[in-house]
Amino acid sequence: MPRLPHLSRRGVLAAGGALGLTAALAACGDEKADKSKGGGGKDGGPWSFKDDRGEAAKKDSTPKNIVAFTGVAAALFDYGIEVKGVFGPTKTKDGKADVQAGDMDISKLTILGNAWDQFNIEKYVGLQPDVLISTMFDDKGTLWYVPEASKDKILKLAPSVGVSVYDRQMTKPLERLLALAESLGADVKADKVVKAKKRFEAASERLRKAAKSRPEIKVLVGSASADVFYVSGTNLSADLEYFKALGVNFVEPPAQALKASGGWFENLSWENVDTYKADVIMMDNRTSALQPEGLADQKPTWGKLPAVKAGQVIPRVTEPIFSYAKCAPILEDLAEAIEKAKKVS
């Protein structure tokens, strides 16, 4: 995959899939975990969980010392499962919680690495980890933010679990994280969890209706860096695949333009930022990307875009926290943007 360090920060910019709402919501799965893919040791017995690599992580008892990619840890936290250590964007330069940390109190966490290619193995060993958990953005079993150079050493120290968020609708990783949380001891029938899932389903229906009633509204998904404006494709990442399945009318760069990034995005110079016409722009909200606030001062061509002039720019949660509580507002915000958007393209 070309330019991996940069692609790894921006590469979650895609979508695709064309299932109807019924099939899409069915993908959420039952409220019970898929017992064929995960089993908890809640009674003190052995624990195992079959991950999306087809590998089974096993322990003599339910893991207690959990280490996870920050976004996964945040999802588990929403289900009442707390981790000991995290790796990935957790703390901003001013010491505040990164957007990917969700509701976790980061002061209570051991941060093994806060940026790409950072992972403190000594600290990891000190946590006496029972399991390491991360997402996967390819079909090769690559664990997100586990450094390539030291992965063999890291993965020998504890069982690992990979949850795929690649080329599938967001309902699938939601289902898988819920099953994983249940195996780790979460009460998935708790009122809080049930209400969050119902809210997600209602938000999905709202977005479907908004997209159907406003088919003329074109949505562009972008990410900004100092030199390049990235326009997402719509065939690989879990959030956009689901939104597209619900009927959202996305700007779609041609396949040839996406080829250099492995299908994720097209690179545009800031002089060519107006290549595609859009009514609503979703902008990468990760700390690794330039944010819309003040962007027009740095890049005058940005301020000239019709959607920007109309104030129709919303955040794109490029790496969602895959809990129903965190994903429901994402759908609600996009639905509202489409409902209220003026046709400016």
Side-chain angles (χ1 to χ4, degrees):
M1 190 174 293
R3 299 181 67 199
L4 181 59
H6 187 79
L7 178 57
S8 300
R9 292 187 173 96
R10 311 238 194 263
V12 197
L13 295 172
L19 298 178
L21 179 65
T22 301
L25 289 179
C28 292
D30 295 332
E31 299 226 345
K32 296 180 180 179
D34 182 347
K35 296 301 181 183
S36 69
K37 294 187 178 181
K42 297 178 185 178
D43 58 356
W47 172 88
S48 68
F49 188 86
K50 188 174 182 181
D51 73 0
D52 293 336
R53 299 171 297 182
E55 300 178 8
K58 299 179 180 180
K59 293 290 291 184
D60 292 338
S61 60
T62 304
K64 299 300 181 185
N65 295 338
I66 302 168
V67 173
F69 171 69
T70 304
V72 171
L76 293 175
F77 184 85
D78 285 350
Y79 294 124
I81 304 298
E82 297 190 30
V83 307
K84 298 290 186 180
V86 294
F87 54 96
T90 307
K91 183 185 295 186
T92 61
K93 291 180 180 179
D94 59 4
K96 296 180 180 179
D98 188 274
V99 292
Q100 296 190 60
D103 294 331
M104 295 188 296
D105 182 350
I106 62 173
S107 69
K108 296 181 179 180
L109 299 171
T110 297
I111 301 174
L112 303 177
N114 198 59
W116 185 256
D117 254 355
Q118 292 181 0
F119 194 107
N120 189 314
I121 298 178
E122 289 185 4
K123 283 187 177 181
Y124 182 55
V125 172
L127 291 173
Q128 298 182 305
D130 291 321
V131 66
L132 178 147
I133 309 169
S134 191
T135 47
M136 300 183 297
F137 284 94
D138 61 27
D139 56 4
K140 300 175 183 177
T142 305
L143 296 178
W144 194 233
Y145 269 80
V146 174
E148 186 69 21
S150 53
K151 69 175 183 179
D152 291 342
K153 184 180 294 185
I154 293 168
L155 297 180
K156 285 179 181 178
L157 297 170
S160 61
V161 171
V163 178
S164 179
V165 296
Y166 173 75
D167 196 16
R168 58 188 56 197
Q169 295 181 31
M170 73 189 312
T171 45
K172 188 61 177 179
L174 278 167
E175 172 193 338
R176 297 293 284 140
L177 259 299
L178 184 68
L180 177 59
E182 183 179 20
S183 81
L184 293 170
D187 180 4
V188 299
K189 293 183 180 179
D191 187 57
K192 176 183 177 182
V193 177
V194 173
K195 285 183 177 179
K197 188 175 181 186
K198 287 182 178 178
R199 180 182 174 186
F200 175 83
E201 292 171 350
S204 297
E205 177 64 13
R206 179 181 174 184
L207 180 56
R208 185 193 68 79
K209 288 181 177 178
K212 185 177 181 179
S213 66
R214 303 294 308 279
E216 76 280 8
I217 298 300
K218 295 281 289 185
V219 179
L220 181 146
V221 181
S223 182
S225 72
D227 301 318
V228 181
F229 184 76
Y230 304 87
V231 179
S232 170
T234 59
N235 289 309
L236 296 178
S237 55
D239 60 335
L240 302 184
E241 285 209 12
Y242 188 51
F243 304 158
K244 187 175 181 180
L246 295 176
V248 175
N249 183 11
F250 283 109
V251 168
E252 177 64 54
Q256 189 61 33
L258 298 169
K259 190 174 180 180
S261 69
W264 290 99
F265 52 78
E266 177 182 3
N267 296 359
L268 294 178
S269 67
W270 282 102
E271 289 74 21
N272 295 315
V273 73
D274 60 351
T275 296
Y276 300 106
K277 307 302 180 185
D279 304 292
V280 173
I281 299 176
M282 300 178 72
M283 288 293 287
D284 188 348
N285 77 329
R286 291 174 296 178
T287 52
S288 57
L290 296 180
Q291 297 305 303
E293 299 80 11
L295 192 56
D297 294 333
Q298 302 177 51
K299 308 294 179 183
T301 50
W302 166 257
K304 296 177 181 178
L305 296 176
V308 176
K309 288 182 178 179
Q312 294 175 177
V313 178
I314 64 171
R316 187 263 177 119
V317 183
T318 308
E319 291 187 53
I321 294 168
F322 285 102
S323 71
Y324 291 105
K326 291 296 185 294
C327 287
I330 298 172
L331 275 75
E332 292 165 350
D333 291 346
L334 179 55
E336 182 178 15
I338 293 172
E339 291 163 353
K340 295 182 177 180
K342 297 177 182 178
K343 181 66 179 174
V344 294
S345 65

